[in-house]
């Protein structure tokens, strides 16, 4: 429990055998449910998780690879079923610092926001940590996400470290969300369509021994295609006005 609210952390994982145990072990004890969604990994991720003893751990598996977005949605549904109040997404490759978790949770548990996202670009010294091609790509996609989502002050659109109120998630049509990379961008547009409130908080950028599954092709063609789709859906919904983002 965190400030009397039940917290679920969803961990999407695809071929993360090397880092999954580290990622899951670092999750703080006040988290009520850890929901790992193993998306048809073939490298022993599932076996590594079976060795990990934790009464709060739930491991779900997709028999076929459906993508990181689809895995997060499976986790959201489980968090709702478990009656959690807040559903957080943390990567399975230990790139998200659990010390940042309270900062992400606070606006949701205090009723100030429905969805809080991490913002690595505001972290002091990010330019020394995040690879330059990532920084450039992130700035370009953030600019496009401002237009497509309707949240004009959004920063670090590619950050997947988020906390959502399950009340909001229960109201959303989770089936429309893009199932692969590009999910965080699409989620912002859907939040705008639902009239949800967004907050963003600085989180530490971490780059270590993990390998990203995002190809250049996905970043240059895939995510922009998702953004055009999000924009079309938002315009058709009539939510054309920009919306304020609460920033700490
Ligand atoms: N369930 C699931 N998780 C995935 C898939 N692709 C990536 N992930 C997970 O999503 C998280 C972020 O993916 P990653 O490739 O590291 O993206 P990056 O950190 O933004 O470069 C990691 O925990 C991955 O294991 C997928 O197809 N299915
Ligand atoms: Mg990663």
């Amino acid at each position: 429990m965190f400030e009397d609210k039940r917290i679920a952390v969803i961990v999407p994982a695809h071929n993360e055998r090397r880092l999954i145990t580290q990622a899951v072990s670092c999750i703080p004890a006040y988290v009520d449910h850890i929901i790992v969604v193993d998306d048809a990994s073939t490298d022993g991720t599932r076996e590594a998780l079976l060795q990990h003893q934790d009464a709060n751990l739930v491991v779900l598996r997709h028999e076929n690879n459906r993508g990181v977005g689809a895995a997060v949605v499976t986790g959201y549904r489980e968090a709702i079923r478990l009656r959690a109040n807040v559903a957080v997404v943390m990567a399975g490759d230990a790139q998200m610092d659990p010390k940042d978790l309270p900062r992400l949770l606070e606006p949701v548990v205090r009723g100030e926001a429905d969805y809080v996202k991490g913002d690595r670009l505001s972290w002091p010294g990010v330019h020394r940590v995040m690879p330059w091609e990532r920084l450039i790509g992130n700035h370009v996609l953030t600019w496009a996400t401002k237009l497509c989502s309707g949240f004009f002050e959004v920063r670090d659109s590619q950050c997947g470290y988020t906390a959502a109120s399950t009340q909001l998630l229960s109201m959303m049509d989770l089936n429309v969300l893009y199932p692969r990379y590009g999910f965080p961008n699409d989620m912002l547009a859907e939040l705008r369509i639902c009239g949800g409130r967004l907050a963003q908080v600085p989180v530490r950028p971490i780059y270590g021994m993990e390998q990203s599954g995002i190809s250049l092709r996905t970043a240059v063609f895939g995510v922009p295609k998702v953004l055009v789709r999000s924009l079309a859906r938002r315009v058709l919904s009539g939510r054309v006005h920009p919306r304020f983002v609460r920033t700490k």
Side-chain angles (χ1 to χ4, degrees), residues 2-3 7-9 30 86-91 95-120 156 159-165 197-204 246 248:
F2 181 87
E3 297 192 9
I7 312 299
V9 169
Y30 59 77
V86 188
V88 174
V89 178
M90 275 175 102
Q95 274 194 293
M96 291 165 186
D97 189 345
K99 288 200 200 88
D100 293 326
L101 188 50
R103 215 173 312 122
L104 275 163
L105 291 172
E106 273 159 18
V108 183
V109 300
R110 293 179 186 168
E112 296 162 4
D114 305 299
Y115 188 67
V116 184
K117 61 179 289 304
D119 167 18
R120 296 163 298 179
D156 191 5
C159 185
Y161 200 1
T162 59
S165 99
R197 296 161 302 162
L198 175 66
Q200 54 194 353
V201 297
V203 294
R204 183 160 80 95
R246 187 185 177 96
K248 289 218 167 169

Side-chain angles (χ1 to χ4, degrees), residues 163-186:
S165 99
T166 48
Q167 203 179 355
L168 165 89
L169 296 173
S170 315
M171 280 167 36
M172 282 174 100
D173 182 1
L174 298 174
N175 293 321
V176 302
L177 294 167
Y178 188 69
R180 296 193 174 271
Y181 290 118
F183 174 85
N185 312 69
D186 201 30

Side-chain angles (χ1 to χ4, degrees), residues 93 95 210 212:
D93 57 3
Q95 274 194 293
E210 78 291 331
S212 175

Side-chain angles (χ1 to χ4, degrees), residues 120-121 130 134-142 156-158:
R120 296 163 298 179
L121 297 182
M130 196 182 277
R134 284 260 168 170
L135 268 176
I136 295 171
N138 195 322
H139 278 290
V140 173
L141 290 175
T142 292
D156 191 5
S157 59
Q158 301 323 106

